[in-house]
């Protein structure tokens, strides 16, 4: 398989690349990040999703089996970049996938997306949730075989392989290791297409989830 990962230097993306090895292509904005992606065994391509056109990205995506959107503006970024990355780059990747004829598209979103931020929420957090929601809304309107994954609070704890994954789950946290493992499972789970799934740590083995699809 050839899997394109947008946001290739992110913490989840690097974990995905390590699992996929030579089958992964990580898109990175900063050339200094190429080495870190290549150290996982994956290919790295420099592509600034805030500057590229859909046709630019389609040339990279063409021939892939799936696209995973794992990009984000990241901590310390302001409201403007929440829009240009968490929304704008997601829309760009979906446009590129359609142009390239790549149907499978997994979008890593966030728990809380799809709902209005709580009253009194931090301005940047509200912008982040708005951007994620609008990116999801855009994806739902497309003919792609999409799945939206909404993890809870992310941690760097070791993965357990035990999760709770459903359209709605109680708030909670989840290790990035387990998010990467679930994304891998979703690639092989056609029954999850056109679903938005929330994810936190739980007591169901990820492998059991795959087996039911």
């Amino acid at each position: 398989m050839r899997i394109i990962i947008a946001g290739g230097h992110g913490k989840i993306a690097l974990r995905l690349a390590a699992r996929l090895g030579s089958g992964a292509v990580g898109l990175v904005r900063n050339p200094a990040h190429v080495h870190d992606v290549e150290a996982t065994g994956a290919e790295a391509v420099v592509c600034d999703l805030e500057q590229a056109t859909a046709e630019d990205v389609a040339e990279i995506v063409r021939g892939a089996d799936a696209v995973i959107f794992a990009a984000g503006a990241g901590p310390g970024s302001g409201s403007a970049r929440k829009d240009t990355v968490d929304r704008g780059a997601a829309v760009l990747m979906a446009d590129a996938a359609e142009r390239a004829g790549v149907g499978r598209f997994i979008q890593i979103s966030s728990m809380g997306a799809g709902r209005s931020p709580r009253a009194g929420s931090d301005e940047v957090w509200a912008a982040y949730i708005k951007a994620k929601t609008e990116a999801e809304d855009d994806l739902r309107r497309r003919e792609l075989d999409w799945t939206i994954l909404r993890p809870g609070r992310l941690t760097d704890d070791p993965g357990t392989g035990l999760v709770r994954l459903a359209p709605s789950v109680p708030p909670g946290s989840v290790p990035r290791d387990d998010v990467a493992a679930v994304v891998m499972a979703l690639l092989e789970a056609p029954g999850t297409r056109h679903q938005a799934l929330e994810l936190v740590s739980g007591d169901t083995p990820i492998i059991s989830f795959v087996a039911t699809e």
Side-chain angles (χ1 to χ4, degrees), residues 104 145-147 185-195 210 213:
R104 190 70 174 117
D145 289 329
W146 54 264
T147 302
L186 292 176
L187 287 170
E188 303 294 339
T192 65
R193 290 170 180 173
H194 297 170
Q195 292 189 47
V210 181
E213 292 297 329

Side-chain angles (χ1 to χ4, degrees), residues 147-166:
T147 302
I148 294 165
L149 183 64
R150 296 169 169 170
R153 183 177 59 83
L154 299 169
T155 76
D156 289 325
D157 297 335
T160 67
L162 300 173
V163 299
R164 189 168 183 179
L165 181 70

Side-chain angles (χ1 to χ4, degrees), residues 15 40 42 84 106 108 113 119 128 130 136 150 154 162 179 184 213:
R15 288 165 166 82
T40 69
T84 58
I106 297 174
I108 301 177
Y128 171 74
K130 179 175 183 287
E136 289 186 9
R150 296 169 169 170
L154 299 169
L162 300 173
V179 178
M184 292 289 294
E213 292 297 329

Side-chain angles (χ1 to χ4, degrees), residues 113-188:
R115 298 185 292 272
S116 298
R118 293 187 301 274
S121 292
D122 173 78
E123 178 184 338
V124 175
W125 172 254
Y128 171 74
I129 291 299
K130 179 175 183 287
K132 289 296 189 188
T133 297
E134 291 180 356
E136 289 186 9
D137 289 345
D138 174 82
L139 191 58
R140 291 174 190 274
R141 292 190 289 266
R142 298 179 185 268
E143 297 298 319
L144 295 168
D145 289 329
W146 54 264
T147 302
I148 294 165
L149 183 64
R150 296 169 169 170
R153 183 177 59 83
L154 299 169
T155 76
D156 289 325
D157 297 335
T160 67
L162 300 173
V163 299
R164 189 168 183 179
L165 181 70
S168 180
V169 302
S173 62
V174 60
R176 289 178 173 86
D177 283 346
D178 285 336
V179 178
V182 167
V183 172
M184 292 289 294
L186 292 176
L187 287 170
E188 303 294 339

